């Protein structure tokens, strides 16, 4: 395909939701289908990259040429990300990671309590996977170019810029997930890209289009930030 050549690069991508168990039959999760992350993986492979997809539970086929590592919880995703990031050139966090998990997973199915109209679940914070990867520095701990996503329902640019800085990312893909037909679960998406590289800061507005086409533009920009220039 036209555009930058990614041969020789290893790109690690997280995709899909995480699933946080409450008991043997219940969990907390979200509506991520994995489509955006899988489209990124397919696009990176088309450019010749070696691609590892760390995937939460989704019902999508593995794109040709991609190695997939299946995980369920945020802690499992974190373990896999830590293991793979040191050996990657670009790390893209597209997964919708649950911010919280149950403080304790009940061994047996939680029963309804007679006479009680409500119940309180105790949650604890999950690690911030992408912030952890982005904070790794130093020669022994090689740091990839780190690309995060921001799923927002208001003040898209403001919150995305805050995540770019706070999580020490190189680039962020901000999507407005309150838009019907875009974002979670759909085939289409739109995004505002914000990045910081040696040449300074930049932004690009990507209008609504298929996740596949959007993925091409995101991979292209990430490669550019890494210093890979399009070939003729
Ligand atoms: O899967 P689809 O149905 O195709 O939908 C795509 C999508 C809407 C899920 C995707 O485009 C998207 O926005 N993914 C990020 C969702 C999200 O959790 O956003 P956030 O703003 O809460 O998180 C910001 C960033 O931190 C993300 O890169 C996220 O992966 C990362 N994160 C968040 C929490 C956490 N504990 N660890 C993380 O690494």
């Amino acid at each position: 395909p036209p555009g930058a050549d990614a041969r020789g690069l290893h790109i690690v991508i997280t995709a899909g939701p995480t699933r946080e168990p409450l008991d043997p039959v219940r969990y907390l999760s979200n509506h991520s289908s994995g489509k955006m992350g899988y489209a990124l993986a397919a696009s990176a492979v088309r450019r010749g990259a070696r691609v590892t997809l760390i995937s939460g539970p989704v019902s999508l086929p593995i794109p040709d040429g991609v190695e997939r590592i299946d995980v369920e919880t945020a802690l499992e995703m974190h373990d896999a990300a830590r293991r793979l990031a040191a050996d990657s050139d670009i790390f893209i966090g597209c997964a919708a990671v649950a911010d919280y998990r149950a403080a304790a997973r009940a061994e047996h199915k939680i029963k309804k309590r007679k006479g009680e109209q409500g119940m309180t679940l105790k949650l604890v914070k999950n690690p911030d996977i992408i912030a952890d990867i982005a904070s790794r520095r130093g020669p022994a701990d090689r740091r990839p170019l780190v690309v995060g996503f921001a799923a927002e329902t208001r003040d898209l640019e403001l919150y995305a810029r805050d995540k770019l800085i706070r999580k020490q990312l190189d680039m962020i893909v901000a999507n407005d997930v309150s838009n019907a037909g875009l974002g979670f679960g759909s085939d289409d998406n739109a995004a505002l890209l914000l990045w910081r590289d040696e040449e300074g800061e930049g932004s690009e507005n990507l209008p609504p289009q298929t996740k596949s086409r959007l993925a091409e533009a995101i991979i292209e920009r990430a490669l550019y930030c890494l210093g890979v220039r399009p070939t003729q």
Side-chain angles (χ1 to χ4, degrees), residues 4-80:
D5 186 347
R7 274 176 297 183
L9 299 179
H10 183 201
I11 302 185
V12 175
I13 300 166
T14 68
T18 65
R19 195 178 266 186
E20 312 297 329
L22 303 176
D23 70 12
V25 298
R26 303 184 180 95
Y27 56 81
L28 293 174
S29 193
N30 59 65
H31 290 296
S32 170
S33 64
K35 285 179 187 171
M36 189 68 243
Y38 277 55
L40 289 165
S43 165
V45 159
R46 277 197 292 273
R47 284 167 194 278
R50 174 159 84 87
V51 179
T52 311
L53 192 52
I54 305 173
S55 177
V58 300
S59 54
L60 296 174
I62 305 176
D64 281 346
V66 169
E67 188 194 343
R68 186 173 78 177
I69 293 171
D70 292 312
V71 297
E72 285 232 345
T73 64
L75 292 180
E76 288 169 10
M77 187 172 275
H78 191 203
D79 275 353

Side-chain angles (χ1 to χ4, degrees), residues 14-17 30-37 58 74 91-99 126-131 147-152 163 167 169 172-173 175 177 183-186 189 211:
T14 68
N30 59 65
H31 290 296
S32 170
S33 64
K35 285 179 187 171
M36 189 68 243
V58 300
F91 180 91
I92 307 180
C94 184
V97 183
D99 289 323
N126 272 326
D128 192 316
I129 299 169
I130 205 152
V147 180
F149 270 67
E152 309 294 347
K163 283 177 185 169
K167 299 188 186 216
L169 309 177
I172 195 152
V173 182
N175 42 191
V177 292
F184 282 94
S186 59
N189 203 5
K211 283 180 177 170

Side-chain angles (χ1 to χ4, degrees), residues 133-138 141-146 168-170:
I133 302 302
S135 69
R136 287 158 184 250
R137 286 177 196 281
D141 210 11
R142 191 162 71 99
R143 180 190 185 277
L145 181 100
V146 183
Q168 301 182 61
L169 309 177
D170 301 294

Side-chain angles (χ1 to χ4, degrees), residues 80-91:
R82 274 206 290 217
R83 195 159 42 79
L84 287 159
D87 169 50
S88 68
D89 300 284
I90 301 179
F91 180 91

